Amino acid sequence: MLFPFLTLVLLAVASQTLAQAGPFAQCGGNGWTGSTSCVAGWQCVAQNAFYSQCLQQTVSTTSAPTSSSPTSTTTKTTTSSTITSCGILSATKSCSATLTVTGFPASAPTTPPSNLVGKTPALGWNSWNAYACSINETKVVAAANQFISLGLKTAGYQYINIDDCWSVMARNSTTNQIVPDPTKFPNGISGVATQVHALGLKFGIYSDAGTATCAGFPGSLGFESIDAATFNAWGVDYLKYGMSMNSVRNSNSAIRYRQMTAALAAQARPVQFNLCLWGNYDVWDWGARVGHSWRLSGDSSATWSYITSIISTAVQHLSNDTFGGHGDMDMMEIGNGALTIQEQRTHFAAWIMLKSPILLGTDLSLLNSTQLTIIKNAELLAFHQDLTIGAPAAPFTPFASAPTTSPPEYYSGKSSKGTHVFIINTAATAATKTFTFSQIPGLGASGSFSVHDMWAGADLSGTYTASATFSVTVQPHDTVAYFINVL
Ligand SMILES: *[C@@H]1O[C@H](CO)[C@@H](O)[C@H](O)[C@H]1NC(C)=O
Ligand SMILES: *[C@@H]1O[C@H](CO)[C@@H](O)[C@H](O)[C@H]1NC(C)=O
Ligand SMILES: *[C@@H]1O[C@H](CO)[C@@H](O)[C@H](O)[C@H]1NC(C)=O
Ligand SMILES: *[C@@H]1O[C@H](CO)[C@@H](O)[C@H](O)[C@H]1NC(C)=O
């Protein structure tokens, strides 16, 4: 009876794991199969349809306004504003408390983001999807070394970025600087940056436009200049700037982000600036004037429904994407969860063709050769990093009276080489996809063409006139990527 006994033990272990998600861990969202409850003292809070997270039960939505107790002070001589405070982005939680933040200026600097970096969308790695708050120097430096050993640096990946949870809870009471957690980062953040730079890579970090980060560590509101100077001294090249729990979120978001844009511009080191306010406040309308990329929605999850949902969102805002400013579909989930290899291919191809930053989000040592082949595909990366054409691919109608789908399945875009076509099969069964050459924007009603498979790096046989149709069987949830040769 050994087998049933073992099964019972395994089941007990599994249900124990499922019973309690840890601090800041995912605890829900469409497609989530893990634990939906949190350890004592933490509650599962929905951030969006795809991501719920265990957060500390500190935010009381019934507390009286705390306008008499400023939460942030600075030596700058500026005005005060009464602003609404809210917990983490949630459809189920309402804003009720107000607080006064001293030192919050009434108007925004209009300094643009640096034009020395961020022309094309970032390529790199971010610690969050792999490790959440369990980060440390060993893991970050390992990712940097894997960029070299796995050929990712050669393929174009540059940034090694630390997300939330890198500091201690209190600023230095003398200098007001954020203090790196000495256990996680025994050589400080500058010690990590030095090791990353020594490999010829760039280094990024995370802060928040409010008084605290998503995980409750110090945010930069009121301390923008001090933090920008500290990051500069440490060697920071990329800043992901959140707007999370304890952040003050209202229509003045752009002002708070602009404080940091200006503070970064005052430093010697150019910083690529990511605006992580989860697609709130029409960030696509002003994001390019303030930073190099802006998150289009809530946090990603390793699910097909997240991938299709964020593509549907991104295609609504493509007109704002060009050199120096890109909609951010969030960090990659390749290597995480139970995505099929076809879904992982679509994940990568969609981020490529829509020109989102691509920050790998897994323990790189666990990627297999198929996954590495996907993320190192030279032709797709060349489209993403093209220095002649800044615009992303956009949906097109593949043949007269083709049905519309959400997300769209057919996309075309230009690169310095010419015209490309990408086709997603959004169905759960294999499907034949067809387009007419003359329907591809910019190809015209005459001429002859052949088709090159960007995934395989090989020309397909056959030549076609403008009125001819091309058909291909696409696997469930897969994406094909073509370059159209004009003969
Ligand atoms: C980082 O975490 C890993 C895994 O828990 C551990 O082996 C390593 O020693 C840690 N490094 C530091 C600097 O704490
Ligand atoms: C605060 O900064 C001062 C000046 O750099 C330093 O001497 C002190 O050790 C720091 N304190 C902490 C707790 O890091
Ligand atoms: C973004 O697009 C909107 C709508 O087309 C436009 O009003 C806005 O000016 C654009 N913003 C930038 C920075 O290009
Ligand atoms: C890599 O993993 C994927 C699933 O994520 C699987 O479909 C594929 O066959 C694996 N490749 C190899 C070479 O093991």
Side-chain angles (χ1 to χ4, degrees), residues 272-288:
Q272 184 156 173
F273 190 32
N274 173 258
L275 318 177
C276 180
L277 32 47
W278 290 341
N280 286 309
Y281 310 116
D282 299 323
V283 61
W284 30 80
D285 284 347
W286 51 268

Side-chain angles (χ1 to χ4, degrees), residues 307-336:
I307 292 170
T308 51
S309 156
I310 195 69
I311 294 172
S312 299
T313 301
V315 296
Q316 295 168 42
H317 305 293
L318 295 177
S319 66
N320 285 114
D321 276 43
T322 187
F323 287 131
H326 298 98
D328 179 0
M329 298 161 75
D330 202 12
M331 282 100 66
M332 303 303 283
E333 298 284 4
I334 288 176
N336 303 333

